Amino acid sequence: MKLANPFYYPMAVLAGGVFLIAGVRLVRLPSVVALPGAGAIALATATAFKSRDLQTIELDNPELSRELQTIRLQAQKLTETAQLLRAEATRRLTDTLHIDLLGTVQYVCDRTQEMPIQIDQLAARMQGKDALLSIDELEKQREEVQAKLKTSSGAAKSQWQTLAQQLDRNIDLVKQGEDTREAQLAQLSTLIAESGGVLQQLQNKLRTADLNSNAEAEELKSMSDELKGFQENVTLLLT
């Protein structure tokens, strides 16, 4: 197991910080001992979290297990990017004029970091062939998508239209008695990859944008809204 970066795991940083404060203030350890000790605890805790994140997902179908594990790793990488983006946005968007934009960016970053947990929950539901989606569940999802279509426009509308078509195909698969899990995972993988692309664009734009320009601030807001649309699609597939 490779060592993990503690800054990707807030609880690991917290554990190191608690040791440092307790060591210096309570036990009165010298700084040459307390600082390396805090670093070692943060590193060990982060590595333990990473090990937990990479636990093998076992389904009755080995190919689906591998696909779900790959998607889980994709989502974990997204969370790392989202953590960095959130910190960068907090540093850069300090003007009161940018408070709404900062809130939007922080929101999409927080939602991105929920994906691995949602995928773990999906894996639990996919255990065994008895866990397949029913037509009623799929039709309920399609109704939710149709409602979104009526109130969306532009890129968001296109995303919902694509998801509606995919749900129609899944309903046909269920009616034919086919396993829909492969189709679900393919859709999920595509959405996560597209989310990653928008997240990277948002990070690049934030680093180079002239925040005094209303046009560039609006472009950042548009990218954040596009990412939010992908996240809503992912959430619908995962819940």
Side-chain angles (χ1 to χ4, degrees):
M1 168 62 67
K2 294 182 179 179
L3 297 178
N5 186 341
F7 291 104
Y8 292 158
Y9 299 89
M11 291 303 295
V13 175
L14 177 61
V18 169
F19 175 86
L20 179 61
I21 294 171
V24 172
R25 294 188 177 180
L26 301 180
V27 187
R28 300 193 179 282
L29 292 174
S31 59
V32 293
V33 175
L35 284 172
I41 287 176
L43 184 62
T45 304
T47 302
F49 277 123
K50 184 176 182 179
S51 177
R52 180 203 64 186
D53 290 340
L54 299 180
Q55 288 177 351
T56 302
I57 297 171
E58 296 291 345
L59 300 179
D60 60 296
N61 183 321
E63 186 175 344
L64 289 180
S65 294
R66 288 191 293 269
E67 179 66 16
L68 193 52
Q69 182 69 13
T70 299
I71 290 172
R72 179 65 167 71
L73 291 173
Q74 284 180 303
Q76 184 60 40
K77 289 178 180 178
L78 275 192
T79 68
E80 295 169 1
T81 302
Q83 287 173 339
L84 295 174
L85 176 57
R86 196 185 197 286
E88 194 164 354
T90 303
R91 286 195 304 270
R92 291 212 63 196
L93 302 175
T94 55
D95 195 298
T96 54
L97 294 175
H98 303 137
I99 191 67
D100 288 342
L101 177 58
L102 175 60
T104 300
V105 174
Q106 289 177 333
Y107 174 80
V108 295
C109 289
D110 291 344
R111 289 289 302 276
T112 298
Q113 293 179 65
E114 295 171 2
M115 283 186 186
I117 297 174
Q118 292 175 319
I119 291 171
D120 288 343
Q121 293 169 345
L122 175 66
R125 293 196 301 274
M126 281 188 165
Q127 295 288 344
K129 295 184 178 179
D130 293 337
L132 304 186
L133 286 178
S134 68
I135 290 180
D136 288 342
E137 290 171 325
L138 289 168
E139 288 181 341
K140 182 178 178 182
Q141 287 184 342
R142 185 171 59 179
E143 288 175 4
E144 293 179 29
V145 170
Q146 293 296 336
K148 292 285 188 180
L149 274 171
K150 294 177 181 178
T151 59
S152 60
S153 60
K157 190 178 185 69
S158 177
Q159 292 172 23
W160 289 117
Q161 286 173 334
T162 299
L163 185 56
Q165 293 169 358
Q166 292 168 339
L167 288 172
D168 285 338
R169 286 196 292 271
N170 282 357
I171 290 172
D172 289 339
L173 286 173
V174 172
K175 289 179 177 178
Q176 295 166 22
E178 299 290 336
D179 189 338
T180 63
R181 291 177 297 178
E182 184 176 351
Q184 282 180 272
L185 294 183
Q187 294 160 18
L188 184 57
S189 179
T190 298
L191 285 172
I192 289 177
E194 291 174 336
S195 296
V198 178
L199 190 65
Q200 188 62 59
Q201 290 175 11
L202 183 57
Q203 186 178 46
N204 294 343
K205 186 63 180 178
L206 180 63
R207 289 173 176 171
T208 60
D210 176 5
L211 297 177
N212 293 318
S213 166
N214 290 335
E216 296 206 21
E218 185 58 34
E219 187 175 353
L220 284 168
K221 177 68 165 53
S222 178
M223 287 182 182
S224 299
D225 289 339
E226 184 178 1
L227 180 57
K228 189 187 300 184
F230 282 122
Q231 290 169 340
E232 289 176 349
N233 285 352
V234 169
T235 298
L236 183 62
L237 285 176
L238 291 176
T239 56

